[in-house]
Amino acid sequence: MKAYVTVMPKNGVLDPQGKAIGHALTGHGFAGIGEVRVGKLIELELAETDPAKAQAAAEDMARKLLANMVIESFKVEVR
Amino acid sequence: MKAGIILFPGTNRERDMGLALARVTGAKPAIIWHGESELPAGTDLVVLPGGFSYGDYLRCGAMAAQSPIMRAVAAFAARGGHVLGVCNGFQILIEAGLLPGALLKNASLRFLSMDCHLKVERTDTPYTSHFQPGAVFRSTMAHGDGNYFASPETLDTLEGEGRVVLRYCTPEGAVTPDANRNGSSRSIAGIVSENRRILGLMPHPENQVDPLIDGTDGLPMFESISACFATA
């Protein structure tokens, strides 16, 4: 099965990339854009077939490596 | 002093660092491949030099922090060993959990390759004892992710314990927002561990160690660490 780990900068952590993209979108003429934040999506192929175990394993991976818990938060979705 | 420089795939400043160390110790430091699991016997100082280890994949320093040699470096640090991390080396020390905080993308989003000035906040560390108290010296920065970040509590702890060793400043020594080009919290350029034996900094003091090549502004840092072992 697959686990999708979404890693995002925590609230309060400056995200200059998001800001720059927001400015660029406004420059393109898109109106009404609030805050833009940039994260990453990591797709993991897992041999595990039990969704709960896969979820727990992916969360462990996120805490240990995929996310930097000082500046990022993560969310795991198993499909 | 027996120094060892760790070489990761993508490290590119190990030779300059080696020359800087050889200048003060008279001996060529060992170059240690990241796949090794042990440091050479009798190592006094481990240096993580600058570069772009593992192509900065995932986060700067995140992959290198998982290398086999980093387990040995962590054990060395836990025994009270001296570890110096410069630029990517600082990022690796943080990712390895040997120093607190994080290094974010520069606030300007630009890679900054330029001179900077550093204020020496403490001279009672193994890396700064040869600077005059309150000294300001010129150095070089060359990084895309050097924006030091930590929670307000962590920053207060670092300040309270006197672990902020270097701050970005003007040539006159004023710590101003303009002199803080990468946007670091509280203009922090370098911090030490609780026992002051681990130093991480973004600028490159090894760039200024030769009077014929851009001066010797960074030399006191290497003289300090060398003297630390000469008297030991």
Side-chain angles (χ1 to χ4, degrees):
Chain A
M1 64 194 334
K2 278 189 175 175
Y4 297 83
V5 182
T6 307
V7 179
M8 292 298 292
K10 277 185 182 168
N11 285 331
V13 173
L14 181 75
D15 179 11
Q17 258 189 115
K19 274 206 173 106
I21 291 169
H23 284 303
L25 287 171
T26 305
H28 269 282
F30 293 101
I33 294 168
E35 197 184 8
V36 179
R37 296 181 73 74
V38 179
K40 47 184 106 113
L41 174 66
I42 300 158
E43 183 184 305
L44 303 165
E45 205 176 272
L46 302 176
E48 182 59 63
T49 52
D50 179 338
K53 282 185 186 162
Q55 174 90 22
E59 284 179 4
D60 199 27
M61 293 176 210
R63 268 188 296 272
K64 287 201 175 120
L65 178 65
L66 305 178
N68 176 346
M69 301 305 290
V70 177
I71 48 169
E72 295 168 327
S73 59
F74 68 88
K75 191 175 70 186
V76 173
E77 196 192 336
V78 171
R79 271 183 255 160
Chain B
M1 177 177 77
K2 201 170 162 189
I5 301 174
I6 313 287
L7 184 63
F8 299 95
T11 296
N12 62 13
R13 299 306 310 278
E14 75 281 6
R15 287 180 182 223
D16 311 82
M17 185 55 79
L19 290 170
L21 289 164
R23 182 168 278 270
V24 292
T25 64
K28 218 173 150 191
I31 299 284
I32 306 156
W33 183 238
H34 71 111
E36 299 287 331
S37 52
E38 278 179 44
L39 296 167
T43 298
D44 296 310
L45 171 73
V46 171
V47 182
L48 308 181
F52 300 86
S53 58
Y54 295 87
D56 286 343
Y57 289 175
L58 192 63
R59 295 177 303 275
C60 299
M63 297 290 122
Q66 312 294 323
S67 288
I69 195 64
M70 285 308 292
R71 278 193 288 276
V73 173
F76 174 75
R79 291 196 301 271
H82 289 71
V83 184
L84 170 65
V86 170
C87 196
N88 189 220
F90 186 16
Q91 294 165 336
I92 296 167
L93 286 177
I94 282 187
E95 282 288 343
L98 292 173
L99 288 174
L103 288 155
L104 308 178
K105 206 167 275 294
N106 295 341
S108 62
L109 279 180
R110 291 196 170 91
F111 187 97
L112 296 171
S113 177
M114 56 178 63
D115 276 4
C116 59
H117 285 82
L118 300 173
K119 186 171 186 182
V120 181
E121 296 280 14
R122 299 192 74 96
T123 53
D124 55 350
T125 80
Y127 303 93
T128 53
S129 61
H130 276 48
F131 286 101
Q132 295 300 315
V136 172
F137 71 101
R138 188 175 57 88
S139 190
T140 306
M141 59 161 86
H143 59 247
D145 298 63
N147 177 354
Y148 185 76
F149 175 89
S151 67
E153 300 77 46
T154 303
L155 291 170
D156 288 343
T157 303
L158 287 172
E159 305 259 22
E161 293 176 353
R163 291 167 56 188
V164 177
V165 174
L166 299 167
R167 274 186 235 266
Y168 299 106
C169 66
T170 64
E172 294 76 35
V175 178
T176 65
D178 282 351
N180 181 21
R181 298 298 295 265
N182 59 22
S184 290
S185 299
R186 304 190 193 177
S187 294
I188 291 174
I191 54 169
V192 284
S193 58
E194 231 174 310
N195 67 4
R196 299 184 194 175
R197 292 184 175 184
I198 306 174
L199 169 68
L201 74 163
M202 285 312 297
H204 291 274
E206 75 275 20
N207 278 26
Q208 287 86 20
V209 294
D210 186 331
L212 294 178
I213 307 171
D214 206 20
T216 56
D217 301 58
L219 195 56
M221 184 167 288
F222 296 95
E223 290 168 342
S224 301
I225 185 69
S226 170
C228 171
F229 287 99
T231 53

